[in-house]
Amino acid sequence: MIDSTIHERAVALRRQGKSYSEIRKVIPVAKSTLTEWFVDVGLSKRQKQIFTEKRRAGQRRGAAARKAKRVRIQTEIIELARTEIGKLSDRDLLIIGTCLYWAEGSKEKEYSAGSGLKFSNSDWRMVKVFILFLKFILRLDNNEIKYELYLHNAKRDDLEKILNFWCNRLKLPVGSITHIYYKKGNPKTKRRNVGEEYVGVLRVCPKSSSHLVRRIAGWTEGICENQWGIV
């Protein structure tokens, strides 16, 4: 039999806007018991707001804790995976560059023989790796590579900032990006990379490079034939 004074104290705490968990820290009874006691307890609008605010605060704390856990696990996975790569060789760079071009580069067509090498992407790190591929595997000098920027017309006013972004990230001299092309696309879009993080698409174009396209095509065939028999 529970003392009536305990019941009265619990009701009093409830009327003060205390939550079940807060009350149970003071009065250790079952949650179901509190529910029975509070059936007839009328709460003011302000008290209900307090409960709502506490519940939302609890939800925010829970969400923050889950996010922190997710970020911690994600960081641990990435750090472990980074160590698994180890030091890359020239052969590794050859294969990486070939696969990058295979995925993102322009291809020579039957109806357009002799087309040059062109690689485009919006990820500066991918572009940087491909430039390393051009320099260390294909042995191209800086003056043999030209750069073009493709930008949405709405970002025209941010041109100088975007040019500085690409030059800084890729360690290019100012003025290396010689051609700017503006796209007049519909501004109503579901794409998410159109805000502050949008820096356009950079195209890398080695000069007189049709023979390079064919070398990379041969490396692509070699990857397929010698390893998995895809072709």
Side-chain angles (χ1 to χ4, degrees):
M1 185 79 177
I2 297 178
D3 191 332
S4 61
T5 57
I6 296 178
H7 173 271
E8 292 171 359
R9 188 180 179 194
V11 171
L13 290 171
R14 184 61 170 173
R15 291 188 187 282
Q16 292 174 19
K18 301 296 183 182
S19 67
Y20 277 37
S21 59
E22 289 173 325
I23 294 172
R24 293 181 67 201
K25 290 178 181 178
V26 179
I27 304 173
V29 297
K31 186 176 180 180
S32 58
T33 300
L34 293 180
T35 301
E36 292 178 6
W37 288 353
F38 300 155
V39 168
D40 298 325
V41 176
L43 299 175
S44 67
K45 182 178 180 180
R46 177 53 187 159
Q47 287 172 331
K48 292 179 181 178
Q49 289 176 339
I50 291 174
F51 289 140
T52 300
E53 290 167 2
K54 287 182 178 179
R55 182 168 59 252
R56 289 176 178 171
Q59 291 171 342
R60 288 193 292 270
R61 288 193 297 271
R66 289 191 296 273
K67 180 179 179 181
K69 181 179 179 181
R70 174 177 58 78
V71 170
R72 177 178 56 78
I73 294 174
Q74 177 181 324
T75 301
E76 290 174 355
I77 293 173
I78 291 174
E79 289 301 320
L80 175 60
R82 179 183 286 117
T83 62
E84 291 173 340
I85 291 297
K87 185 175 177 61
L88 296 176
S89 65
D90 287 349
R91 176 175 171 76
D92 293 328
L93 183 57
L94 165 64
I95 295 172
I96 290 170
T98 299
C99 289
L100 284 178
Y101 193 77
W102 188 6
E104 300 291 339
S106 60
K107 312 301 188 297
E108 186 175 31
K109 305 293 192 302
E110 290 287 340
Y111 53 80
S112 182
S115 56
L117 186 154
K118 296 176 182 178
F119 176 87
S120 305
N121 211 270
S122 60
D123 186 333
W124 71 268
R125 296 174 302 175
M126 188 180 294
V127 175
K128 188 169 185 177
V129 171
F130 189 75
I131 293 173
L132 293 174
F133 166 74
L134 294 178
K135 290 182 177 180
F136 292 101
I137 302 303
L138 296 178
R139 304 299 179 185
L140 299 183
D141 296 328
N142 285 327
N143 59 8
E144 296 180 277
I145 306 172
K146 69 176 184 177
Y147 303 93
E148 302 172 348
L149 179 66
Y150 290 78
L151 202 62
H152 280 290
N153 196 51
K155 302 293 288 186
R156 186 183 289 265
D157 293 340
D158 295 330
L159 176 60
E160 183 176 355
K161 181 176 71 174
I162 291 173
L163 287 174
N164 288 335
F165 169 87
W166 283 105
C167 289
N168 289 337
R169 293 297 191 280
L170 303 179
K171 308 300 182 186
L172 301 176
V174 175
S176 296
I177 304 175
T178 54
H179 294 79
I180 315 297
Y181 300 95
Y182 292 101
K183 297 185 283 186
K184 299 180 180 179
N186 187 346
K188 293 182 179 179
T189 176
K190 293 182 179 179
R191 295 171 65 250
R192 296 187 177 183
N193 61 334
V194 294
E196 288 297 319
E197 296 182 358
Y198 173 76
V199 291
V201 173
L202 194 71
R203 174 173 286 181
V204 183
C205 310
K207 301 175 182 178
S208 304
S209 56
S210 59
H211 69 289
L212 300 180
V213 174
R214 292 161 188 165
R215 286 184 71 189
I216 296 174
W219 290 334
T220 303
E221 296 290 329
I223 289 173
C224 295
E225 292 176 353
N226 295 332
Q227 301 301 321
W228 300 285
I230 297 173
V231 178

